[in-house]
Amino acid sequence: IVATADFLHRRFNIEVRLQTEALRIDRHAKLVEIRHTVTGALEKLPYDKLILAPGAAQLVTATRAAR
């Protein structure tokens, strides 16, 4: 199932941060420090609930040639 960031925000009020890397999580203060991978800018964001979803790479498998 593929869902866009816009769909997740509209449907579930989830804020999706693409092209970012989580550097530190302060569980007591409920803050996550992120780095924007394109610009390198750092940002600290408060959160209520935090979901980390690491990116994935396409899986390519070898197949036999059709006979």
Side-chain angles (χ1 to χ4, degrees):
I1 297 174
V2 176
T4 65
D6 182 56
F7 170 80
L8 292 172
H9 189 269
R10 283 185 287 113
R11 173 74 186 215
F12 302 108
N13 198 28
I14 294 174
E15 184 176 341
V16 177
R17 295 290 181 129
L18 302 174
Q19 298 181 331
T20 57
E21 175 183 27
L23 302 175
R24 290 176 194 78
I25 300 170
D26 183 338
R27 292 176 19 189
H28 298 290
K30 287 196 157 187
L31 289 172
V32 61
E33 183 177 359
I34 63 170
R35 182 180 68 84
H36 297 271
T37 58
V38 175
T39 65
L42 299 176
E43 187 176 357
K44 288 185 180 179
L45 302 170
Y47 66 87
D48 296 318
K49 295 181 182 177
L50 180 63
I51 300 171
L52 299 177
Q58 180 181 12
L59 175 64
V60 179
T61 60
T63 58
R64 289 185 181 174
R67 294 183 191 201

